[in-house]
Amino acid sequence: MKLCFPTSIVMVLLIHSLPCLHAGQATEDDVLIADFEGETYGDWVVTGDAFGPGPARGTLAGQMHVDGFFGTALVNSFFHGDGSVGTLTSPEFKIERRFISFLIGGGMDAEKTCVNLIIDGKTVRNATGPNDAAGGSEALLMTSWDVSQFVGQMAQMQIVDQATGGWGHINVDHILQTNQKPPQLRTDVERSFTISKRFLNLPIKNGAPRRKVTVLIDGVREVVNDIELADANPDWWAFMDVSAWTGRKLTVKVDRLLEDSQALQSITQTDSEVGGQSFYQEPLRAQFHFSSRRGWNNDPNGLVFFNGEYHLFYQHNPYGWSWGNMHWGHATSRDLAHWQEHGDTLAPDQFGPMFSGSAVVDWKNTSGLGTLEKPPLVLLYTAAGNPTVQALASGVDGRNFQKYESNPIVPQITGGNRDPKVIWHEPSGRWVMVLYVELPEKKHTVHFFTSANLKEWTLASIFEGGVDADKFLFECPDLFELLVDGDKAKAKWVLTAADGQYAVGTFDGTTFTAEATRLPGHRGRGFYAAQTFSDIPKSDGRRIQIGWLQTPTVGMPFNQAMTVPLELQLITTPDGPRLRTTPVRELKSLRSSSQTWTSLKLVPGGKNPIEGLGTELIEVQAEFRPGKNTVATFQIRGGLIQYDAAKQELDVNGHRVSVPLQDGKMDLTILCDRTCFEIFAGNGLVYVPMPFQPKADDVSLILNVSGDAVDFERLEVHSLKSAWNTPTP
């Protein structure tokens, strides 16, 4: 799913490799043209509005993170986004050294996003940023020109932004004249291995320029990724499972490397992952929320119950801390509390990176991809190349999958079609695909397709979710039926969107008819792209959801996490059927010690009844009847959860949400992990996920009240075990 922004470059020279540029300083023999550390551009002449009133202090609003510049400021033409244009021209200077070097990033267009050296009104040297396609990085890279033939002549530097749209900006810093020749760039650098061990370990440096890394097997290209390789000391090691090619020749080819880079030389073969002894022990590793062992994860994909296991596929960048190189990672659980990771199932191919989708068990083998005795598990996903299409893969053992030889199964509708959710619709006896499609003028829709065999699809209907301002039905749709209040005689269909909003209505196998739309799902922050499990046995009957929990883990070799598994129900309210969200019961298996109080009355200024019970991982449950002016405050590991009875409002670390009392009573469930709170209130009608990183040594647990007294009918405090360090029951 998601679009970010990769990489090709004319002359790439890394900052850390230049001995003449330590900590952004020139040597005695160097001549500094500009370091852009002032409040204004001084004598430089500005046209247009792209460059703002002066050098930028790093990243600008709406821009991906900018790094690799010296000092505190740089030239950054993203001042009004990619739509702004302009030029920035230096005063004349004399060329006094053999080389001019500078840092550059942004768009790659030799005419519209570039730096020019001008002599006698003519451009004699030109350089661009590295980015011209989706993905990419805002890291500035060192570039240099040999200007020895111009020594003694007068010249000007001109920084140009005449581009709009994606990568329509340029970043520049630290322009220097020097006599020291920078390290040279080598292209298509290779190293070969005979594969004898399971893993190839790759050195990663967060924020380094992304290099195109191609893996060839016996000379045939197998996979290509954009990787932030470490030229020297890595921040962490990524691992590639190469066991399928044991005994064969594997070649790693990198499109561009400096001649003094140690990236290729440091790659090793091992039977275990480098750094694997620290898996799940890292300081910011959530202990009962799933996260991938290494690299970035985002959307949950292909949630399905198969062969006695809950399967969680997910968007994964195994070779970077940030978004990119989209694979489908894969993990399984038998109890929804303990997870085992199995490596990547789908890798980028000729159709593009592997964006989001879903999974189903083809019990009747309608696809012919298995047998009735061994029904196939079918993965349906977006291949986000050009064009962007829908595709499938399948397998019968829940571990090994083959991409369908006749992919794609649905051609591109628009460039913004993605995230297929597929279900079996029993009444009509056919498959239904729910696909997000962005139509012109950013109009968000869901297209419904039907199929008899999962391979051939026919458009059945279109549900319009509104325009850009509505932000409804944007990406990652899900569709499922729920009983209302558990009554088999009453059922409604629920259509959800990536931001958690949902609609309730009816579905006849062709058309979804909404009775209520734009209903809020979660009420917190950092929750996105949730999906629900398919094929949970009817004897269980639950609808279980997992969402992407956006919890940045700076300094760790992994990034982001998933919510705990959530049970969804439809319950009757005065406004109609609404979703109730609660943590699944299986999480109770992580409780290690518990304290329970009943009929507990607390008065303002009274003793904290849960003093001394704080711990790193904690669950608090409470049912209480507040007075008219009661404010009940839970302080957990420095985080603040407060209920104000007069306002009937819940405050979580300053984030406020309305939670009305029900029959004069409030109920709360609070889960606290190393990177987040998840809070459930008002009989589950209010779910508040909240990224939060408490201090490691803060295990405080405080409960106090102000205003009026409060009667707790029940108060429970549970200390939780790590899901990673305890066996599955």
Side-chain angles (χ1 to χ4, degrees):
M1 192 197 82
K2 306 314 155 293
L3 303 175
C4 291
F5 290 119
T7 257
S8 150
I9 206 165
V10 178
M11 189 75 165
V12 182
L13 298 170
L14 281 178
I15 302 166
H16 304 297
S17 299
L18 287 178
C20 62
L21 295 177
H22 293 296
Q25 300 300 312
T27 68
E28 182 178 351
D29 293 330
D30 295 334
V31 178
L32 182 67
I33 296 174
D35 62 5
F36 303 109
E37 290 298 304
E39 295 297 322
T40 70
Y41 292 117
D43 294 335
W44 288 59
V45 176
V46 182
T47 67
D49 60 351
F51 294 94
R57 302 295 159 180
T59 307
L60 295 174
Q63 188 176 26
M64 293 191 297
H65 179 67
V66 177
D67 58 17
F69 58 95
F70 289 161
T72 61
L74 75 156
V75 174
N76 185 342
S77 72
F78 199 77
F79 183 65
H80 286 305
D82 277 331
S84 56
V85 297
T87 62
L88 182 62
T89 307
S90 77
E92 279 197 320
F93 61 91
K94 181 184 287 188
I95 297 179
E96 303 176 75
R97 299 291 186 267
R98 293 175 55 206
F99 301 97
I100 293 177
S101 66
F102 50 93
L103 299 164
I104 188 168
M108 186 178 71
D109 188 315
E111 295 182 356
K112 295 182 177 180
T113 54
C114 60
V115 176
N116 297 322
L117 180 66
I118 300 173
I119 297 178
D120 294 332
K122 297 181 180 180
T123 297
V124 297
R125 295 288 186 270
N126 171 269
T128 74
N131 302 287
D132 66 347
S137 166
E138 291 280 13
L140 276 72
L141 314 170
M142 186 62 72
T143 292
S144 69
W145 295 318
D146 184 338
V147 294
S148 54
Q149 72 186 89
F150 304 119
V151 169
Q153 298 188 48
M154 301 301 292
Q156 289 178 290
M157 299 283 290
Q158 186 177 61
I159 304 172
V160 178
D161 177 357
Q162 295 296 335
T164 59
W167 287 116
H169 66 278
I170 190 81
N171 303 325
V172 178
D173 195 24
H174 206 82
I175 305 173
L176 187 75
Q177 296 193 57
T178 180
N179 279 327
Q180 187 163 352
K181 184 178 180 179
Q184 297 302 294
L185 185 71
R186 297 187 297 162
T187 60
D188 294 331
V189 188
E190 297 183 355
R191 183 183 175 194
S192 295
F193 306 80
T194 297
I195 296 301
S196 60
K197 299 183 183 297
R198 180 178 178 184
F199 295 107
L200 208 62
N201 297 283
L202 307 173
I204 307 298
K205 189 70 175 178
N206 294 334
R210 296 186 182 189
R211 287 80 174 266
K212 193 169 294 296
V213 179
T214 303
V215 173
L216 303 99
I217 303 299
D218 297 330
V220 178
R221 188 178 75 170
E222 185 67 30
V223 65
V224 180
N225 290 286
D226 293 313
I227 303 178
E228 297 171 337
L229 288 176
D231 291 302
N233 296 326
D235 290 331
W236 54 281
W237 293 86
F239 54 87
M240 179 182 293
D241 189 336
V242 294
S243 57
W245 303 310
T246 298
R248 301 174 67 181
K249 179 183 176 182
L250 181 149
T251 300
V252 179
K253 183 168 73 173
V254 183
D255 62 344
R256 290 171 174 84
L257 276 182
L258 291 173
E259 59 188 357
D260 60 352
S261 171
Q262 298 300 306
L264 278 177
Q265 286 71 24
S266 63
I267 295 174
T268 60
Q269 289 190 69
T270 58
D271 283 323
S272 58
E273 307 94 325
V274 172
Q277 68 276 7
S278 67
F279 286 161
Y280 313 119
Q281 310 299 316
E282 304 92 345
L284 294 181
R285 175 76 70 178
Q287 295 296 289
F288 57 91
H289 291 78
F290 176 81
S291 57
S292 196
R293 288 173 292 181
R294 289 292 181 264
W296 163 279
N297 70 256
N298 54 287
D299 306 1
N301 300 149
L303 303 189
V304 62
F305 187 82
F306 181 66
N307 286 351
E309 296 177 316
Y310 296 92
H311 291 255
L312 165 63
F313 299 92
Y314 56 93
Q315 294 283 276
H316 185 214
N317 180 3
Y319 310 116
W321 190 83
S322 57
W323 187 96
N325 301 317
M326 285 293 96
H327 293 59
W328 271 33
H330 184 203
T332 59
S333 174
R334 292 189 176 276
D335 67 349
L336 292 172
H338 302 80
W339 294 92
Q340 180 182 1
E341 193 173 340
H342 300 291
D344 294 310
T345 292
L346 300 178
D349 59 21
Q350 71 272 26
F351 293 111
M354 303 288 98
F355 276 22
S356 294
S358 55
V360 292
V361 183
D362 185 7
W363 296 106
K364 300 179 181 181
N365 195 33
T366 63
S367 62
L369 297 170
T371 65
L372 290 176
E373 294 74 24
K374 289 188 175 182
L377 176 57
V378 181
L379 314 181
L380 301 108
Y381 58 91
T382 296
N386 186 15
T388 296
V389 297
Q390 315 313 313
L392 69 78
S394 65
V396 297
D397 63 358
R399 295 292 185 272
N400 300 288
F401 297 86
Q402 295 77 42
K403 292 174 180 175
Y404 180 45
E405 61 183 9
S406 296
N407 278 333
I409 55 171
V410 178
Q412 176 171 293
I413 303 166
T414 70
N417 57 181
R418 55 186 179 270
D419 313 329
K421 173 67 176 188
V422 173
I423 66 169
W424 174 257
H425 187 254
E426 187 66 38
S428 60
R430 60 186 180 180
W431 300 100
V432 174
M433 177 187 291
V434 189
L435 185 70
Y436 168 72
V437 179
E438 181 181 322
L439 296 179
E441 299 182 355
K442 295 187 176 181
K443 186 175 184 180
H444 305 313
T445 71
V446 166
H447 283 39
F448 290 86
F449 294 83
T450 59
S451 173
N453 59 12
L454 291 170
K455 300 173 182 177
E456 299 161 330
W457 295 87
T458 301
L459 179 64
S461 66
I462 299 175
F463 180 76
E464 296 188 0
V467 295
D468 190 49
D470 291 331
K471 294 295 184 186
F472 181 49
L473 294 180
F474 183 71
E475 303 183 316
C476 302
D478 196 358
L479 179 70
F480 48 89
E481 187 179 32
L482 286 177
L483 302 181
V484 179
D485 301 323
D487 188 342
K488 294 181 179 180
K490 296 188 296 181
K492 293 292 181 183
W493 285 82
V494 179
L495 178 64
T496 67
D499 64 358
Q501 292 188 82
Y502 67 98
V504 175
T506 60
F507 180 65
D508 61 5
T510 299
T511 303
F512 177 80
T513 303
E515 297 170 356
T517 62
R518 299 198 63 190
L519 302 172
H522 76 94
R523 311 293 181 91
R525 295 175 179 158
F527 177 98
Y528 202 76
Q531 291 287 293
T532 61
F533 282 89
S534 68
D535 294 280
I536 291 178
K538 291 182 179 180
S539 58
D540 184 320
R542 289 181 295 172
R543 177 60 55 172
I544 297 173
Q545 180 188 69
I546 292 178
W548 168 25
L549 191 57
Q550 298 167 336
T551 55
T553 47
V554 176
M556 300 291 103
F558 59 91
N559 192 11
Q560 310 292 302
M562 300 296 175
T563 67
V564 297
L566 308 166
E567 182 177 356
L568 303 182
Q569 299 168 301
L570 272 181
I571 62 174
T572 299
T573 74
D575 298 318
R578 297 293 183 264
L579 281 179
R580 178 177 187 255
T581 305
T582 55
V584 295
R585 57 179 178 260
E586 286 86 347
L587 295 179
K588 293 178 181 179
S589 68
L590 298 178
R591 293 174 179 174
S592 61
S593 62
S594 303
Q595 292 282 343
T596 301
W597 295 262
T598 58
S599 302
L600 175 68
K601 187 180 185 69
L602 293 184
V603 297
K607 183 180 178 180
N608 170 27
I610 54 179
E611 184 176 3
L613 297 180
T615 186
E616 183 183 37
L617 312 175
I618 198 160
E619 174 189 357
V620 175
Q621 292 197 8
E623 293 182 14
F624 57 92
R625 294 186 179 275
K628 182 178 180 180
N629 297 305
T630 292
V631 176
T633 301
F634 294 85
Q635 183 174 313
I636 301 177
R637 302 199 63 198
L640 208 64
I641 299 101
Q642 190 173 75
Y643 185 73
D644 187 324
K647 297 179 180 178
Q648 300 203 28
E649 184 177 79
L650 183 67
D651 184 323
V652 181
N653 286 344
H655 178 80
R656 295 177 175 84
V657 58
S658 174
V659 188
L661 295 169
Q662 296 188 14
D663 297 324
K665 187 167 67 173
M666 176 52 50
D667 65 276
L668 284 175
T669 296
I670 304 168
L671 298 175
C672 179
D673 204 340
R674 289 181 181 176
T675 58
C676 65
F677 283 133
E678 286 190 81
I679 298 170
F680 309 82
N683 193 30
L685 291 171
V686 175
Y687 165 51
V688 185
M690 186 63 61
F692 167 64
Q693 290 183 5
K695 294 180 179 178
D697 59 353
D698 187 344
V699 293
S700 59
L701 183 60
I702 300 169
L703 169 60
N704 59 55
V705 299
S706 60
D708 294 334
V710 58
D711 292 310
F712 281 84
E713 296 184 359
R714 179 176 57 88
L715 176 62
E716 299 178 11
V717 175
H718 305 282
S719 201
L720 304 179
K721 299 174 291 187
S722 169
W724 303 117
N725 301 324
T726 55
T728 304

